[in-house]
Amino acid sequence: MRAYYFDDEPTDQRLPHDSGEEVSLDTLDQLGVLYWSIPVAEGESIPSGVDAIAKERGYKNRDVINVSKEGLGDLYETKIKSFFEEHMHEDEEIRYILGGSGFFDVRKHAPHPNQERWIRILCEQGDLLVLPSGIYHRFTLDTNNKIKAARLFQDEPKWIPHNRGPQTDVNPYRADYLSAIQPISVA
């Protein structure tokens, strides 16, 4: 995993968009974003370390998604576009990367929207990332065009995005998220 500020250049979303400004794990933690590195052993499906975190955090269900042209078929382009729309969920988003790589972008909240910045998080095999409910984020593949991830859920598997807008800005889960994070500078 590597985190840095997104450069906001209007080019292919799958490119690194590396501003050269690194983001620390402490900054991610202040945003409620959690990270673990849990290597995948040869022939192992999901390591016991992932199971231990799932048990500790109350994740009862899981599935595996293969985000690639082969895995999504005719839905590939539509799904890639929808994943990259800025949105939030009313549940945590938990992903354990089994293979491939991609980018999760999380919105660093600021008092004024024009001060907000995207933080790009490169996730690769063995990375486990938890995005808190209410955080604005998006996802895209990198130029390898494939990622295989275990999705963990506290209840029944669901993925309901709430795209950013005035109604989502006042969603109770968004409000709870904003009250939970500590104010951090907009470096």
Side-chain angles (χ1 to χ4, degrees), residues 3-166:
Y4 53 88
Y5 287 104
F6 188 83
D7 67 12
D8 287 321
E9 293 296 323
T11 58
D12 187 340
Q13 68 193 36
R14 298 170 308 140
L15 296 174
H17 287 278
D18 189 346
S19 66
E21 297 176 74
E22 296 292 319
V23 172
S24 69
L25 284 175
D26 286 341
T27 298
L28 293 178
D29 187 56
Q30 289 175 338
L31 295 171
V33 176
L34 306 176
Y35 168 77
W36 291 267
S37 176
I38 305 170
V40 180
E42 188 68 34
E44 187 175 36
S45 57
I46 297 182
S48 60
V50 174
D51 291 333
I53 291 167
K55 183 177 180 182
E56 174 186 315
R57 297 187 63 79
Y59 306 146
K60 299 176 188 96
N61 291 301
R62 65 178 66 166
D63 67 10
V64 173
I65 186 168
N66 180 2
V67 181
S68 66
K69 289 179 183 177
E70 299 77 26
L72 296 175
D74 293 341
L75 297 176
Y76 176 76
E77 291 298 332
T78 303
K79 286 290 189 187
I80 293 300
K81 287 178 185 169
S82 73
F83 293 159
F84 200 64
E85 290 290 320
E86 183 174 6
H87 64 278
M88 58 149 262
H89 303 285
E90 293 180 350
D91 298 300
E92 289 183 337
E93 182 163 330
I94 309 99
R95 300 295 181 263
Y96 176 68
I97 310 306
L98 295 162
S101 50
F103 298 110
F104 285 90
D105 296 340
V106 295
R107 182 68 84 173
K108 184 176 178 184
H109 178 74
H112 302 288
N114 62 346
Q115 294 177 318
E116 293 181 340
R117 296 182 74 186
W118 283 112
I119 296 173
R120 177 151 275 197
I121 305 168
L122 170 63
C123 289
E124 300 173 296
Q125 185 179 40
D127 289 339
L128 182 119
L129 192 68
V130 177
L131 304 181
S133 66
I135 192 172
Y136 283 129
H137 65 282
R138 61 190 184 189
F139 171 79
T140 189
L141 294 172
D142 60 14
T143 55
N144 292 318
N145 290 317
K146 62 182 177 181
I147 195 168
K148 183 177 180 182
R151 303 185 302 179
L152 288 77
F153 304 93
Q154 290 178 334
D155 292 308
E156 291 303 311
K158 64 180 178 178
W159 188 84
I160 301 171
H162 298 275
N163 288 346
R164 187 169 189 174

